[in-house]
């Protein structure tokens, strides 16, 4: 339930603003404390009196009241979550660019709580690249973008763009607040680290993966309540005992571990740098120097992500990585399709602070609808938060 949860509702100028009244009523009924901020345009669509009566608190709209500056900005510190519903195209654009021309924007820009938005617009507007870009920008700020519904729109058109129904939004908030663990009950598998393919008892083919990115993702999932299975190649990381961990050496071991865990899994993130080739034969004895050159026959390993993409069932989410050094976006998009993944997380070795070994990474996330979310260079912990947020949005 939402008992005692402090919800700051931002209402903007959209036909769907009438639904804010229903939303406030449901939130209060669920035990939440609600404060409402409206943009000046919103009052053309729903009366402040209605919202203040339902929320049992005055609705605020202006930074200045009767020649006195009112510090409503502190509302962003009071709230457990700030929810902008409906979010109009105009306010979305201001949020993306940091425009501060009304109280709602001042509160948003200074809010220390989590921010979620429920967009509402006409279908053609919803599909405009500017809207997609602005929503992606919001995601990179760590804001949560709730999905829109399909159906009859104010314009008379039928299509995507309707604001999420208030009752569904309340259920979403209940999930969100379930001990701050929105992923409780979800089973997750994360692969991480390199694989080592043995040439002989002392040598192997490996790569520079440290496993740090995969571990950060696993820990973020665990923090949000998921039951996590980490399948990790050789590394020197300290892995907390709380994580159910299968340690593997080779690509064959990793495949076997994934096969055994995958059937009951809801979300899989394949961040491991699996060797693409393994020695066709492993020498039982140390190979001695005899010639000045040595040729080792290699056999391609099975692509685990691709295999899981072939057997995944409806409802199972599959997220892959793409580590590239050239033509990055094209290769990443190709991997998304060829491996039947739901998201591909691209990191390029050309970006400073990205890829192997660093404590930072710089990623772009591609989805099946052709959207790309670009993120700045961040610590791997923060990157893990962005990746898991994007997955939560898919859920
Ligand atoms: N992957 C896998 N099994 C393999 C090779 C890769 O599961 N044998 C997964 C990785 O975990 C990653 C994704 O496939 O999620 C892409 O890996 P990457 O190394 O970027 O690309 P490859 O598919 O190996 O292709 P290439 O090396 O040609 O770029």
């Amino acid at each position: 339930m939402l008992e005692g949860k402090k919800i700051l509702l931002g209402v903007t100028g959209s036909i769907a603003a009438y639904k804010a009244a229903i939303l406030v009523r449901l939130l209060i009924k669920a035990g939440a404390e609600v404060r409402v901020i409206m943009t000046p345009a919103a009052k053309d669509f729903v009366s402040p009196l209605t919202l203040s009566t339902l929320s049992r608190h005055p609705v605020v709209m202006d930074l200045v009241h009767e020649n006195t500056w009112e510090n409503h900005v502190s509302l962003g510190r009071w709230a457990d979550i700030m929810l902008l519903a409906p979010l109009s195209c105009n306010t979305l654009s201001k949020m993306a660019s940091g425009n501060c021309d009304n109280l709602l924007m001042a509160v948003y820009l200074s809010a220390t709580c989590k921010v979620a938005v429920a967009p509402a617009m006409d279908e053609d507007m919803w599909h405009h690249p500017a809207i997609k870009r602005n929503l992606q920008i919001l995601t990179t700020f760590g804001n949560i973008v709730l999905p829109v519904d399909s159906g009859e729109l104010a314009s008379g058109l039928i299509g995507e763009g309707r604001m999420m129904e208030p009752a569904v939004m309340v259920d979403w908030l209940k999930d969100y607040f379930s001990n701050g663990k929105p992923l409780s009950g979800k089973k997750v598998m994360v692969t991480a680290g390199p694989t080592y393919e043995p040439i002989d008892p002392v040598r192997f083919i490996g790569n520079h993966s440290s496993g740090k990115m995969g571990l950060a993702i696993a820990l973020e999932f665990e923090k949000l309540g998921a039951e996590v299975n980490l399948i990790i190649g050789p590394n020197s990381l300290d892995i907390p005992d709380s994580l159910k961990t299968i340690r593997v050496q080779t690509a064959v071991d990793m495949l076997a571990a994934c096969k055994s865990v995958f059937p009951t899994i809801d979300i899989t993130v394949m961040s491991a740098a699996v060797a693409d080739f393994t020695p066709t034969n492993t020498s039982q004895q140390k190979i001695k120097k005899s010639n000045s050159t040595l040729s080792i026959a290699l056999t391609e390993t099975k692509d685990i992500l691709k295999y899981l993409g072939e057997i995944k069932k409806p409802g199972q989410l599959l997220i892959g990585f793409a580590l590239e050094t050239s033509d990055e976006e094209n290769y990443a998009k190709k991997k998304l399709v060829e491996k039947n993944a739901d998201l591909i997380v691209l990191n390029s070795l050309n970006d400073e602070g990205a890829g192997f070994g660093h404590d930072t990474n710089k990623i772009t996330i591609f989805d099946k609808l052709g959207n790309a979310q670009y993120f700045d260079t961040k610590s791997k912990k923060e990157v893990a938060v962005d990746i898991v947020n994007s997955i939560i949005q898919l859920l």
Side-chain angles (χ1 to χ4, degrees):
M1 291 301 278
L2 296 175
E3 254 100 32
K5 296 293 174 222
K6 299 186 180 92
I7 295 169
L8 179 58
L9 179 65
V11 182
T12 72
S14 154
I15 291 287
Y18 79 91
K19 290 190 189 170
I22 304 164
L23 179 61
V24 173
R25 197 170 161 270
L26 292 176
L27 289 172
I28 295 286
K29 230 171 136 188
E33 275 184 61
V34 183
R35 300 286 164 84
V36 181
I37 305 180
M38 296 174 80
T39 61
K43 68 176 190 310
D44 291 337
F45 297 92
V46 63
S47 134
L49 182 63
T50 307
L51 296 180
S52 64
T53 308
L54 291 170
S55 67
R56 302 168 191 161
H57 286 282
V59 167
V60 290
M61 214 171 338
D62 303 309
L63 276 164
V64 176
H65 185 62
E66 291 174 359
N67 288 331
T68 322
W69 178 68
E70 301 216 10
N71 185 17
H72 295 304
V73 168
S74 59
L75 283 171
R77 288 189 171 269
W78 164 84
D80 294 314
I81 192 165
M82 180 176 187
L83 174 63
L84 282 93
L87 174 69
S88 69
C89 172
N90 194 29
T91 298
L92 167 64
S93 159
K94 290 182 193 177
M95 290 169 83
S97 62
N99 182 334
C100 186
D101 70 347
N102 61 35
L103 176 64
L104 179 63
M105 285 310 304
V107 174
Y108 165 70
L109 291 169
S110 52
T112 50
C113 60
K114 194 80 187 163
V115 177
V117 299
M121 54 198 84
D122 232 358
E123 177 165 45
D124 296 332
M125 214 184 248
W126 173 248
H127 287 299
H128 195 283
I131 302 296
K132 298 281 176 247
R133 184 201 57 202
N134 286 342
L135 288 170
Q136 278 160 19
I137 293 174
L138 258 51
T139 317
T140 65
F141 297 160
N143 300 163
I144 300 171
V145 179
L146 299 177
V148 293
D149 280 349
S150 259
E152 204 176 318
L153 300 161
S155 61
L157 291 173
I158 309 264
E160 280 181 71
R162 277 167 68 98
M163 184 179 84
M164 177 186 266
E165 285 303 320
V168 180
M169 225 180 288
V170 172
D171 284 345
W172 178 83
L173 283 165
K174 285 179 187 167
D175 278 353
Y176 176 82
F177 283 117
S178 51
N179 302 322
K181 297 189 186 303
L183 293 177
S184 57
K186 294 284 177 209
K187 292 199 166 105
V188 171
M189 175 169 101
V190 179
T191 67
T195 64
Y196 285 179
E197 310 300 321
I199 297 170
D200 68 14
V202 293
R203 305 178 181 99
F204 60 83
I205 297 173
N207 58 63
H208 295 298
S209 169
S210 63
K212 286 180 185 170
M213 190 66 252
L215 177 59
I217 294 169
L219 291 174
E220 179 61 19
F221 272 121
E222 187 185 49
K223 198 176 108 196
L224 298 185
E227 189 186 314
V228 184
N229 294 266
L230 175 66
I231 300 174
I232 189 161
N235 65 82
S236 55
L237 297 173
D238 281 333
I239 299 172
D241 294 339
S242 59
L243 278 182
K244 211 191 282 174
T245 304
I246 304 179
R247 291 178 186 272
V248 296
Q249 284 285 321
T250 65
V252 166
D253 299 342
M254 191 167 274
L255 173 65
C258 288
K259 272 185 175 172
S260 70
V261 175
F262 187 69
T264 59
I265 291 294
D266 302 301
I267 304 164
T268 298
V269 181
M270 305 289 289
S271 65
V274 187
D276 291 325
F277 293 94
T278 190
T280 309
N281 297 303
T282 299
S283 169
Q284 295 309 306
Q285 306 300 330
K286 185 180 174 200
I287 298 171
K288 290 290 183 190
K289 282 182 289 211
S290 51
N291 299 313
S292 55
T293 60
L294 172 68
S295 298
I296 299 172
L298 300 176
T299 305
E300 204 177 329
T301 57
K302 192 170 176 79
D303 188 320
I304 308 171
L305 174 60
K306 189 165 182 214
Y307 167 72
L308 298 180
E310 283 159 9
I311 63 163
K312 78 170 178 187
K313 302 237 158 52
Q316 281 187 306
L317 286 182
L318 186 58
I319 289 82
F321 268 68
L323 178 68
E324 306 295 345
T325 54
S326 65
D327 201 9
E328 292 89 342
E329 293 212 10
N330 280 333
Y331 281 127
K333 287 180 190 162
K334 215 166 144 221
K335 283 175 187 171
L336 180 75
V337 175
E338 285 177 356
K339 304 195 188 203
N340 192 24
D342 298 286
L343 295 177
I344 283 281
V345 180
L346 164 68
N347 35 197
S348 164
L349 285 192
N350 292 324
D351 287 327
E352 208 169 306
F356 289 146
H358 300 283
D359 288 322
T360 53
N361 203 359
K362 183 172 192 311
I363 58 159
T364 308
I365 300 182
F366 297 92
D367 70 18
K368 292 213 272 202
L369 300 173
N371 300 313
Q373 286 173 264
Y374 299 89
F375 296 86
D376 291 334
T377 306
K378 299 183 181 182
S379 72
K380 285 193 170 164
K381 197 164 173 254
E382 290 168 307
V383 171
V385 173
D386 290 335
I387 293 171
V388 174
N389 266 341
S390 297
I391 296 169
I392 290 175
Q393 278 171 42
L394 280 189
L395 288 171

